[in-house]
Structure formats: C-alpha cells, structure tokens
Amino acid sequence: MSANPGASLRPVLPPDIAAKKGQAPLVVLTAYTTPMARLVDAHCDVALVGDSLGMVLHGLPSTHGVTLEMMILHGRSVMRGLSRAMAVIDMPFGSYEESPEQAFRNAARIVAETGAPAVKIEGGAHMAPTIAFLTARGIPVMAHIGLTPQAVNTLGGYKVVGRAAEADKVLADAMAVEAAGAFAVVLEKVPVGLAGRVTAALKVPTIGIGAGVDCDGQVLVLDDMLGLFTDFRPKFVKRYADLGLTAADAIAAYAEDVRARRFPGPEHGFAD
C-alpha cells in the first residue's frame, strides 16, 4: 500500500467489515500460506489465519500446541498474498487468557510483526474485559463464541453449544463481546435458530461456521472445503473439491513414471 495519506487505494479495515452488517453476506476463508492467500484474496472479504493451521498443516491433534511464533510466521506469509481481503490472525491458546496486559503484549506483537489489522480471540463474557482493553489501545478484535476449540477439554468435545438452557448464555456472551468493542463475532456450532436470534440482536456482523444461513457471513477452513484435509469432516463442511484425491493420484502417477523411466523425457532435459 502507498504511504501517501492521499492515495485513493487503502486497505480494508475492521470498521469496513463492521459496516457490512445486514448487507451482502461476508465471505471468509482461512489461509495459512502466500499461494493460498492469493487464491482467497480474489473472492473473500476476510482471510482468517486460524490456529487450525496446527492441525491442518502441522499434524497436531488439537490447536493447543500452536505457538505465537507459528501464528506470526503464517500471518506474515498470508499478508504477502493479500491485496484486497482483510487479514485477521488468531491469538493462540495461552497467549491472552492470563490477563488483558498479557493479551495486549502478544496482540501488539502479532499486529506489529505481520501488518495484519486485527486479531481473533475465543471466549464470551469472561473475555469481554480483555477485548475492551485491546480495542481501547488500538487493536481491533474479532470475537469467537459458541464452540471455542481452545476450550475443547472444558467443553467435553467438539459439540454443539447453545441448546436448551445454554442458549441464554450464548446470547449473553454475544452481547458482552459486542459491548466490549468486538467488530464482528464468529458463531461456531451454534443451533440455527439461536444463531438467527443472536444475529438479529447484534449491531455488528456475525460470521457463522456450523451456525446456519441467517448469520451475516460464513467461514470455513479452506483445506476442509477443498478436500485437502481429510483426517475428519465436520457436518457443517461442504466440500467444493476433492483436491486431496487429485493430488494423491498425481503423486502416484509421478512415482510410477519415475520407476518406469518415463519421466523425465527428452523434452524435460537440456542438450549438451
């Protein structure tokens, strides 16, 4: 981006995303690398550098092993691939829960070292003071409530959150993070009817993942929807391609050609 304050082109910022409440649905996908960021950039409003990268790219059993350094490394990579979509970077487990001051130190590192304009924090009303602390100090926050994967051990698994007596708590969480200054709220694995109620109650956009069509936008893990990550498939994922199978077939064909000495052919070499 130009350093000229008068330049006509400027990046998308959190207030622009917040202003899209009630307009065309926001399109959000994860991205972890420069090539994938370039693909996402052409079609999405937001590129989320999710801590899901721990499972998708690094083979971890959960997001708990993801470090701040990993998020910064991948955040830098994604920022190199974006020209129009806004990046949001997850704060990993253990980097913000201790205190608002800890959260600020680590969020400031993410913003300063990647250039991304916003971070995402999991948690509802109990994280509202932290969200308020960050936003008051110039760090925009996307909130994440409902199923919060970093709290999976406390929740007892990757289950739907917000049925029956839990519904009022989810709504209260949404209202609390909005009041604290979050510019958008991710609703994960929340019942469809409840997600609609939350969306109607909030003045900022909701972004659903397994929360139905009434949200103000939708997010999926890119590798899930492309069929690249196949260890498991959540119910809420729609596969738009099976690139994992395509890649496996291509690798098998390459191995067969090498062993049969069909590759490289004359056209792949250089004359003396």
Side-chain angles (χ1 to χ4, degrees), residues 245-262:
L245 293 176
T246 301
D249 290 343
I251 292 166
Y254 164 74
E256 185 178 332
D257 279 357
V258 169
R259 293 188 177 108
R261 297 192 180 275
R262 291 191 294 267

Side-chain angles (χ1 to χ4, degrees), residues 29-32 47-54 63 66 71 74 88-90 120 221:
L29 282 171
T30 63
Y32 314 124
L48 174 63
V49 187
D51 61 356
S52 49
L53 62 83
T63 61
V66 176
M71 296 308 303
H74 288 282
V88 176
I89 300 182
D90 266 348
K120 181 167 76 63
V221 172

Side-chain angles (χ1 to χ4, degrees), residues 57-127:
L57 295 186
H58 295 276
L60 298 175
S62 73
T63 61
H64 289 156
V66 176
T67 65
L68 190 67
E69 287 69 27
M70 289 166 69
M71 296 308 303
I72 290 171
L73 175 67
H74 288 282
R76 286 173 173 167
S77 181
V78 167
M79 287 296 290
R80 294 185 194 108
L82 299 180
S83 61
R84 58 176 299 278
M86 189 186 80
V88 176
I89 300 182
D90 266 348
M91 295 197 69
F93 178 71
S95 71
Y96 61 93
E97 297 92 338
E98 181 180 336
S99 67
E101 290 79 10
Q102 180 210 29
F104 178 78
R105 285 193 300 272
N106 290 325
R109 272 197 67 191
I110 290 173
V111 171
E113 295 182 32
T114 67
V119 298
K120 181 167 76 63
I121 287 179
E122 294 185 11
H126 68 287
M127 291 308 304

Side-chain angles (χ1 to χ4, degrees), residues 37-268:
R38 288 174 178 153
L39 294 175
V40 167
D41 187 57
H43 303 283
C44 293
D45 300 290
V46 175
L48 174 63
V49 187
D51 61 356
S52 49
L53 62 83
M55 303 165 79
V56 172
L57 295 186
H58 295 276
L60 298 175
S62 73
T63 61
H64 289 156
V66 176
T67 65
L68 190 67
E69 287 69 27
M70 289 166 69
M71 296 308 303
I72 290 171
L73 175 67
H74 288 282
R76 286 173 173 167
S77 181
V78 167
M79 287 296 290
R80 294 185 194 108
L82 299 180
S83 61
R84 58 176 299 278
M86 189 186 80
V88 176
I89 300 182
D90 266 348
M91 295 197 69
F93 178 71
S95 71
Y96 61 93
E97 297 92 338
E98 181 180 336
S99 67
E101 290 79 10
Q102 180 210 29
F104 178 78
R105 285 193 300 272
N106 290 325
R109 272 197 67 191
I110 290 173
V111 171
E113 295 182 32
T114 67
V119 298
K120 181 167 76 63
I121 287 179
E122 294 185 11
H126 68 287
M127 291 308 304
T130 296
I131 294 171
F133 193 89
L134 295 185
T135 57
R137 288 158 179 77
I139 299 180
V141 176
M142 177 181 285
H144 182 156
I145 64 172
L147 171 63
T148 48
Q150 292 175 11
V152 65
N153 291 334
T154 301
L155 294 172
Y158 297 93
K159 62 180 184 178
V160 175
V161 175
R163 286 178 171 149
E166 286 184 328
D168 288 343
K169 181 182 182 304
V170 171
L171 181 56
D173 282 341
M175 301 299 287
V177 296
E178 178 185 57
F183 70 89
V185 181
V186 172
L187 302 177
E188 181 166 357
K189 261 189 145 176
V190 170
V192 173
L194 175 59
R197 285 175 53 204
V198 171
T199 299
L202 296 187
K203 295 181 177 65
V204 298
T206 58
I207 299 170
I209 177 166
V213 75
D214 291 330
C215 296
D216 295 300
Q218 299 294 328
V219 59
L220 283 177
V221 172
L222 182 64
D223 298 67
D224 281 342
M225 59 87 73
L226 291 179
L228 287 169
F229 182 76
T230 57
D231 288 6
F232 56 86
R233 178 179 175 180
K235 179 183 178 181
F236 54 76
V237 170
K238 178 177 179 180
R239 287 255 170 88
Y240 285 82
D242 281 304
L243 300 190
L245 293 176
T246 301
D249 290 343
I251 292 166
Y254 164 74
E256 185 178 332
D257 279 357
V258 169
R259 293 188 177 108
R261 297 192 180 275
R262 291 191 294 267
F263 176 84
E267 68 274 24
H268 303 116

